Amino acid sequence: MIIDGKEIAAALRKDLKKKVVELKSIYNAVPGLTVILVGDDAPSKIYVKNKEKFAKEIGLNSEVIRYPADLEEKVLLNKINELNKDNKVSGILVQLPLPKHIDKRKVIETIDYGKDVDGFHPINVGNLSSGYESSIPCTPLGCSLLLKKVEKNLNGKHAVVIGRSNLNGKPMTQLLLKENCTVTITHSKTKDLKIECLRADIIIAAVGIPKLVKGDWVKNGAIVIDVGINKTDSGLVGDVDFDEVSKVAKAITPVPGGVGPMTIACLLSNTVECFKKAYSK
Ligand code: GUN
C-alpha cells in the first residue's frame, strides 16, 4: 500500500475549511497565521509560498513577512513581540533555518507559546514530553496521522525513529510513546542501523540521507514513513529506497506526495487549534 499523503492532506484541509466557517459564525473572526521568512534560502521560499497558498485556501487570515538576510536580530524580536499582542494573529511561524547571526533559540522563546504553531517553544516541548496538551510539531504530527490511517491501534508496536532532531525525531518519539509504541531512537552514531531497522514494525526515517533505508533493512509487513526530502541529480528522493522497500513494506509513503503535504495541513490545523484556545479562554 502506498500512503497517499496528498489525498489525506486534502481531506484534512477540507475539514479545516468547514471548521473556519463555523468559527467565523461563532466568533465573528477567523484564525490568522503569520509566517516570517528571513533571507532567501531557496527551499524555504517554496515552503513559505505553499503555506501562504493553503492558509488562504482554507480561509485563514494569512500574512507573510519577508526580511533580508542581514536583518538585525532585535528587529525580528520586536516584530514577534508586536505579533504576540495582536489579537488577529493566532499563530506565528518563523521559517528555519535562520541566518547564522540570529539566535534561533531566542527567536523561538520570544514567540508566545499559545501562538507557537510549530510546537518548538520549550513550554510546548515540555508539555508534549510530559503528556500534557501542547502544540505539536507539524511534521511528526503529520506522520502520526498517516500512521493512524494504516493502523488504528499502535499498542506495543516496535517503532524505530532514524534521526534525533528537535523538529522531527524527538517529538516523533514522544507521539509514538503516547500511542504505546516501544521506541528505539537511532542516529548517525548508531552502531548497526540495519539490525535496528530489521526489528521494527514501524520505521520513521528523518535523517536527510538519500535512499539510506534499503529493502533488506525492512521486516516484511512493516510500515515505513519517509520524512526525507533530498535533492539529487535524479530529482527529489527520500531517506528510503522506495523501489526496494515498497516490495517488502505493508505500507510506505512516497517522496514527494507523502509526509510533505501533511506538514502544511497540520500547520493549518495547529493555527485553528491556537485560535480556539485563545477564544475559549
Ligand atoms: N523549516 C523546515 N521545516 C520547518 C518547520 O516545520 N517549521 C519551521 N519554522 N521551519 C522549518
Side-chain angles (χ1 to χ4, degrees), residues 42-182:
S44 292
K45 277 173 149 172
I46 297 170
Y47 294 144
V48 167
K49 226 184 189 136
N50 282 329
K51 286 169 185 175
E52 184 180 27
K53 176 183 146 195
F54 287 118
K56 282 189 174 147
E57 188 190 282
I58 69 150
L60 301 187
N61 238 332
S62 166
E63 183 193 22
V64 177
I65 300 173
R66 292 179 172 84
Y67 288 119
D70 62 357
L71 176 76
E72 259 190 84
E73 184 184 273
K74 74 167 187 286
V75 175
L76 177 58
L77 299 180
N78 287 342
K79 175 50 83 178
I80 294 171
N81 279 316
E82 196 184 294
L83 296 169
N84 283 343
K85 291 187 210 118
D86 186 342
N87 287 339
K88 291 193 291 304
V89 177
S90 321
I92 303 166
L93 180 145
V94 178
Q95 185 67 26
L96 302 176
L98 284 166
K100 282 198 180 64
H101 68 280
I102 296 179
D103 183 346
K104 178 176 80 176
R105 180 174 174 184
K106 232 192 236 173
V107 169
I108 290 171
E109 291 183 7
T110 300
I111 297 172
D112 179 337
Y113 78 92
K115 297 191 178 192
D116 169 33
V117 279
D118 261 326
F120 294 163
H121 191 288
I123 293 181
N124 284 318
V125 175
N127 280 339
L128 177 63
S129 72
S130 298
Y132 302 142
E133 196 178 290
S134 69
S135 264
I136 298 169
C138 307
T139 301
L141 179 56
C143 292
S144 78
L145 294 178
L146 292 179
L147 270 178
K148 298 290 290 246
K149 287 276 172 193
V150 181
E151 194 100 32
K152 278 209 173 68
N153 186 352
L154 303 179
N155 264 353
K157 299 275 182 207
H158 185 184
V160 170
V161 178
I162 312 174
R164 55 175 156 180
S165 70
N166 291 339
L167 264 72
N168 294 309
K170 285 184 202 153
M172 190 70 236
T173 299
Q174 299 297 347
L175 293 177
L176 291 162
L177 286 174
K178 253 188 170 171
E179 295 292 334
N180 300 317
C181 290
T182 301

